[in-house]
Amino acid sequence: MGNQQASKFGRPLSELSQVDWASLTHAYGSAENVPAQLEAIAAGDEQAYQEAFGNLWHQWTTYSATPHAIPFLIGILEAGTRNAEILDLLGVMGRSNGEHQEAVLEALELGLPLYSAALKGEAEDARAAVYLLSAFISDYRVVLALQYDGLNHPDKSVQAATLYYLRLYRGGPVKDEVVYYALTKIYDRALSLSCALFQAHILRKNTHPDAARVLEDGLLINEDELEEFQEQMAIDPDDIFEEVAKAAKAMGKVETFAAAFRAKAEATGDDHWLTYLKDLEG
């Protein structure tokens, strides 16, 4: 059995037998198979990882086995195994729902130092860490980690993801500093849309005109660019155009953007564009 070493933040796999898995459930029934899955994940088994993604987390729902599995996933992460993938799995668990979600967040909180440390790692790891940390955005320690390590990461996609989620934070002196950052980066291709969304939600009607133009240009993003932006900003599964609609409403530009969405629907023959009017006009 791998991952036998002591774990500072999680639990080693050697302690799997200490959990009564038969009394717990996941998306497809009894959680008795979870220990074998966790061992296989630690050994690098991709299929086991995908199965755990479907069992312990399924369609944004967590289960009674999920909070018990999290300490072992943190232990695997602590051992330096499959970092980005484990962070991704923990991230969707943290942003899910269900009757066990409070216990899920409590279990995830134990690994906050590890997630924060991942902000200094490779871009893929750091983006996954940003998404995971966003579940704890009310924690000022998390905000500081995102501000100083996320925004200063050498990869601009990590900066974009960080800025996108920092907009959710509503208190403390960090806001002015990050707003200034957003203003200075508005012309950067990899960051501009994230900067504009941040400004719209924070500055609202005082959003810089250049940011408003960036959001309008956002309606011209093609499918390839859309996928790139979603990956860079760690947005999943929200549609970027839904975010643009919400930002436009915050800026008080309902009429302008409503006309733009209607024009897009007419030009493409796709009435799906009109669904964003609910976020804009609602």
Side-chain angles (χ1 to χ4, degrees), residues 78-141:
E78 194 172 358
T81 306
R82 306 169 67 90
N83 290 356
E85 289 183 331
I86 299 299
L87 288 166
D88 280 339
L89 179 53
L90 294 175
V92 294
M93 288 175 173
R95 299 185 64 86
S96 297
N97 51 57
E99 61 179 304
H100 304 286
Q101 193 59 20
E102 183 176 349
V104 165
L105 290 173
E106 288 179 0
L108 284 171
E109 191 170 5
L110 297 175
L112 282 178
L114 280 178
Y115 319 146
S116 296
L119 291 173
K120 300 178 182 179
E122 297 294 328
E124 186 179 11
D125 295 352
R127 284 197 303 271
V130 170
Y131 184 73
L132 174 49
L133 287 167
S134 70
F136 298 93
I137 200 67
S138 60
D139 188 322
Y140 191 53
R141 296 169 300 172

Side-chain angles (χ1 to χ4, degrees), residues 45-262:
D45 189 319
E46 179 64 25
Q47 182 177 348
Y49 171 77
Q50 295 298 335
E51 288 176 355
F53 227 115
N55 291 346
L56 297 169
W57 173 91
H58 184 69
Q59 296 182 347
W60 299 99
T61 303
T62 51
Y63 304 88
S64 63
T66 309
H68 293 275
I70 286 172
F72 296 104
L73 289 168
I74 292 175
I76 294 172
L77 177 65
E78 194 172 358
T81 306
R82 306 169 67 90
N83 290 356
E85 289 183 331
I86 299 299
L87 288 166
D88 280 339
L89 179 53
L90 294 175
V92 294
M93 288 175 173
R95 299 185 64 86
S96 297
N97 51 57
E99 61 179 304
H100 304 286
Q101 193 59 20
E102 183 176 349
V104 165
L105 290 173
E106 288 179 0
L108 284 171
E109 191 170 5
L110 297 175
L112 282 178
L114 280 178
Y115 319 146
S116 296
L119 291 173
K120 300 178 182 179
E122 297 294 328
E124 186 179 11
D125 295 352
R127 284 197 303 271
V130 170
Y131 184 73
L132 174 49
L133 287 167
S134 70
F136 298 93
I137 200 67
S138 60
D139 188 322
Y140 191 53
R141 296 169 300 172
V142 168
V143 172
L144 289 178
L146 289 170
Q147 181 189 8
Y148 292 114
D149 293 323
L151 288 183
N152 289 313
H153 195 282
D155 189 280
K156 286 182 169 55
S157 69
V158 177
Q159 298 173 32
T162 299
L163 190 63
Y164 177 78
Y165 286 105
L166 275 176
R167 86 189 199 283
L168 302 175
Y169 181 65
R170 289 291 179 263
V174 72
K175 184 177 72 172
D176 292 339
E177 298 175 29
V178 181
V179 168
Y180 176 75
Y181 175 94
L183 287 169
T184 61
K185 299 291 185 179
I186 194 65
Y187 297 109
D188 190 295
R189 176 72 173 120
L191 286 170
S192 60
L193 186 59
S194 187
C195 290
L197 287 169
F198 180 89
Q199 288 187 47
H201 286 288
I202 301 300
L203 300 181
R204 302 179 74 81
K205 291 186 178 181
N206 293 321
T207 298
H208 195 283
D210 288 336
R213 281 194 289 272
V214 166
L215 289 171
E216 289 185 56
D217 290 343
L219 298 183
L220 303 177
I221 296 174
N222 62 39
E223 288 299 319
D224 291 337
E225 290 176 314
L226 175 61
E227 184 175 344
E228 178 184 353
F229 272 118
Q230 287 180 322
E231 179 179 352
Q232 288 180 341
M233 294 163 63
I235 300 177
D236 183 34
D238 291 338
D239 192 309
I240 194 65
F241 302 118
E242 179 180 323
E243 297 297 324
V244 170
K246 292 176 181 177
K249 182 178 180 181
M251 291 188 299
K253 293 183 174 292
V254 172
E255 292 183 6
T256 299
F257 278 79
F261 278 115
R262 291 190 179 98

